[in-house]
Amino acid sequence: MHGISRRGLLKTGVAAGVLGLSGMPLRAQTRGGKLTAGLSGANTSDSWDGRTHSDLFMIASAQGSVFDSLTEIAADGSLKGELAESWEASADAKTWTFNLRQGVTFHNGKSFGADDVIESLQLHVAEGAKSAAQPIVAAITEMTKITDSQVQFTLASGNADFPYLMSDYHLLMYPAGQTEEAIAQGIGTGLYQVQSFDPGVRMVATRYPDHYKGDSAGFFDEIEYIAINDNTARMNALMTGQVDAINRIDFKTEALLRANPALRIQEVTGNQQYTFPMLTDTAPFNDVNVRRALKYGINRQEMVDKILLGHGAVGNDTPIGPANQYYAADMEQLEYDPDQAKFYLQQAGIDSLDIDLSASNAAFEGAVDAAQLFQASASAGGININVVQEPADGYWSNVWLKKPFCACYWSGRATEDWMFSTAYEAGVPWNDSQWDEKDNARFQELLLTARAELDSDKRRDQYTEMQQILRDDGGVLVPMFANYVQAVNNRISSPDTVGNLWQMDNARMAERWSVA
């Protein structure tokens, strides 16, 4: 059987979780053994609260191992059911009915059902909750338990992407009435059960017996994820055999990995993007002419060549990437042009601009070097950038969303609306440029219109216009899309198709890989 594609979903407004639980045809898998991975993106403040997850270590530990969501993006990009078996929509895509998988238990023995779904989703709109998935859940005006195995969602307006949104890594399912305990101890319905968890240090879990995914997923007896945020230390851990796999290899020492016959490189093209957001509610970035000057002051190709060493592609100041259905590949590319940068500074009423740019390699590998390249290229256009090197520890809590101009990275999202509603819709928690109606009312209008549009051709036109608006007026510089480049010991087998939504096979290596 085949998964229903997003194109088919948009045509029919109906989708069913008919893909096999494995998501892709698998080669023969070896059961048993252990996977040890060295992963970046860990923090001492990490917890099993999905609302707080933002980087690979906890995404792979939580949604990729210990917890489940209602739906899942397969390695080939198709949508399949996880804790939901199937779903269907009303003709206007405002009402969605999900049929839940029966016979599923949490790791503490409690049965999974509709009450768990409703309580878990309500966490994201609770008073004081700071969840990036808040706009997804806030769009649900009513959640109704029809039976223990059926839930109906009524949306404020039609959303053809709603089943995709239910795969968001923040939307983990917790046992109703036991949420605090589940967050404290890591109690989910996933393939692996927590044995130990030291935030910012390591996580160890073992396969949960008699899991509902059966023999089609979760082939290791044990997994151990070690937090190694330092790039050199991560490379050394793989080279010396301390770990079986690492994410985010150092491009400068890539040749060493390729020369080792015991290792292989995985390179996947997706929507991962390295960015420089500007707070558009803060001077001088509240002036569109200043933003345009900066757009012409950055040399995108130089960054791809020198920071990514060719492992990526030039960006065009929009978060919609080559793996998205409505990627505007034919849109005219903004080019480095110091004279145009000077022109837009003059339009802003100034001859030169002095600004700080906060950066740390915690944002992305090479972020400080990228900021310094930006500093050099922008100077020719009358823009004087002072690069502020921020500490890696606490970068995401103390710098991002707080400093007016900083380095950042996004994994991108599987659908256009998912990306826009997470980071560009007015008022959402992760809108890191504070882009809203005052910046461009047309963009916010199109966001709501395209979300409910079921005609694929009309949707393409709407998303193309939105990408053009962001290219010209937006508050985020997207100079480059970076491939996912990770390394694996040959003692570990992985499928021919590796997911490109997140790092490390959509962060589901514990589910999809095995001992060779």
Side-chain angles (χ1 to χ4, degrees):
M1 294 188 292
H2 300 289
I4 292 178
S5 68
R6 181 164 180 254
R7 186 177 301 276
L9 170 62
L10 294 176
K11 283 183 176 179
T12 64
V14 179
V18 296
L19 197 67
L21 281 174
S22 62
M24 288 291 293
L26 293 175
R27 296 174 294 178
Q29 303 288 331
T30 301
R31 287 294 302 274
K34 179 181 178 180
L35 170 68
T36 304
L39 306 177
S40 64
N43 298 279
T44 54
S45 59
D46 285 340
S47 77
W48 295 112
D49 186 345
R51 295 172 294 185
T52 68
H53 297 169
S54 62
D55 212 335
L56 180 67
F57 189 89
M58 285 312 302
I59 300 173
S61 297
Q63 191 188 61
S65 305
V66 175
F67 290 88
D68 291 324
S69 299
L70 288 180
T71 60
E72 175 186 346
I73 305 296
D76 67 349
S78 62
L79 185 67
K80 69 191 188 79
E82 191 161 49
L83 286 175
E85 281 191 321
S86 61
W87 48 88
E88 58 184 22
S90 59
D92 59 1
K94 285 185 64 174
T95 303
W96 290 87
T97 303
F98 280 68
N99 300 305
L100 307 179
R101 201 172 299 282
Q102 300 183 52
V104 176
T105 60
F106 287 91
H107 299 157
N108 63 358
K110 180 187 180 300
S111 295
F112 165 76
D115 292 332
D116 307 307
V117 174
I118 293 173
E119 184 170 315
S120 296
L121 293 178
Q122 287 175 337
L123 288 173
H124 298 270
V125 290
E127 185 176 354
K130 295 181 179 180
S131 170
Q134 183 271 342
I136 295 175
V137 182
I140 305 172
T141 59
E142 187 175 357
M143 303 185 211
T144 304
K145 174 184 176 181
I146 299 175
T147 67
D148 284 341
S149 60
Q150 195 173 61
V151 180
Q152 189 171 85
F153 302 104
T154 302
L155 311 183
S157 59
N159 191 335
D161 289 343
F162 185 70
Y164 279 85
L165 301 182
M166 290 295 99
S167 72
D168 189 289
Y169 62 78
H170 302 91
L171 301 180
L172 308 177
M173 293 295 111
Y174 298 101
Q178 304 170 8
T179 299
E180 290 186 9
E181 177 187 354
I183 289 175
Q185 299 179 25
I187 301 171
T189 60
L191 282 155
Y192 295 91
Q193 184 171 5
V194 176
Q195 298 302 312
S196 65
F197 176 56
D198 189 354
V201 180
R202 78 179 62 230
M203 188 278 293
V204 177
T206 55
R207 196 181 197 279
Y208 186 63
D210 301 321
H211 192 268
Y212 71 88
K213 292 188 177 181
D215 294 330
S216 65
F219 305 102
F220 300 104
D221 289 336
E222 181 179 351
I223 59 171
E224 180 180 14
Y225 291 164
I226 303 172
I228 312 179
N229 290 334
D230 181 78
N231 205 40
T232 301
R234 205 163 55 250
M235 295 278 286
N236 289 338
L238 181 68
M239 293 285 288
T240 58
Q242 298 175 61
V243 300
D244 301 311
I246 61 170
N247 69 313
R248 292 179 183 164
I249 73 165
D250 184 350
F251 297 144
K252 296 175 183 177
T253 56
E254 178 185 356
L256 292 175
L257 294 180
R258 292 194 181 275
N260 190 326
L263 306 175
R264 69 184 184 278
I265 303 292
Q266 291 181 342
E267 180 161 0
V268 183
T269 299
N271 291 330
Q272 179 177 227
Q273 55 206 253
Y274 294 166
T275 71
F276 297 105
M278 304 168 274
L279 293 180
T280 58
D281 61 354
T282 303
F285 307 110
N286 57 347
D287 188 327
V288 68
N289 290 301
V290 169
R291 301 198 296 270
R292 289 172 179 169
L294 285 161
K295 290 171 183 285
Y296 282 106
I298 192 167
N299 190 327
R300 294 166 173 80
Q301 188 61 58
E302 182 181 41
M303 287 198 178
V304 172
D305 294 341
K306 294 182 178 180
I307 302 302
L308 302 181
L309 299 185
H311 295 286
V314 167
N316 208 11
D317 295 349
T318 162
I320 306 308
N324 285 121
Q325 181 176 357
Y326 300 116
Y327 172 53
D330 296 332
M331 185 169 65
E332 183 180 358
Q333 175 67 51
L334 278 181
E335 301 287 354
Y336 174 53
D337 190 334
D339 290 335
Q340 280 291 89
K342 291 178 182 178
F343 169 78
Y344 280 111
L345 288 184
Q346 292 171 355
Q347 294 297 108
I350 55 179
D351 294 324
S352 64
L353 177 68
D354 297 297
I355 53 173
D356 290 339
L357 172 56
S358 296
S360 165
N361 287 345
F364 58 84
E365 195 58 42
V368 174
D369 289 342
Q372 291 169 344
L373 283 178
F374 193 3
Q375 177 186 54
S377 66
S379 64
I383 301 169
N384 304 308
I385 296 176
N386 175 43
V387 177
V388 180
Q389 295 194 39
E390 304 282 0
D393 188 33
Y395 183 82
W396 296 109
S397 57
N398 300 326
V399 177
W400 184 61
L401 296 174
K402 293 181 173 60
K403 295 296 179 72
F405 196 25
C406 68
C408 178
Y409 101 94
W410 283 86
S411 296
R413 295 295 187 267
T415 73
E416 289 74 10
D417 180 70
W418 191 357
M419 185 69 233
F420 286 144
S421 64
T422 299
Y424 291 82
E425 185 169 3
V428 298
W430 280 11
N431 185 331
D432 57 10
S433 65
Q434 296 302 303
W435 174 259
D436 61 19
E437 291 91 345
K438 74 179 187 305
D439 298 301
N440 198 291
R442 174 62 175 167
F443 179 90
Q444 300 296 334
E445 174 191 345
L446 283 167
L447 177 61
L448 299 179
T449 302
R451 179 178 297 162
E453 180 58 66
L454 298 179
D455 184 293
S456 186
D457 291 334
K458 291 180 180 178
R459 238 183 174 206
R460 180 178 300 280
D461 291 342
Q462 292 160 344
Y463 284 132
T464 296
E465 183 179 350
M466 293 171 76
Q467 290 172 71
Q468 291 169 339
I469 290 171
L470 288 178
R471 179 200 60 188
D472 297 338
D473 299 341
V476 180
L477 293 163
V478 186
M480 51 188 163
F481 285 93
N483 295 346
Y484 292 123
V485 188
Q486 50 221 23
V488 187
N489 192 295
N490 288 330
R491 66 174 292 272
I492 300 298
S493 174
S494 56
D496 294 334
T497 300
V498 175
N500 68 356
L501 184 59
W502 318 114
Q503 302 167 64
M504 308 304 279
D505 206 354
N506 291 357
R508 290 180 180 266
M509 55 191 162
E511 175 175 335
R512 299 172 180 173
W513 299 2
S514 66
V515 172

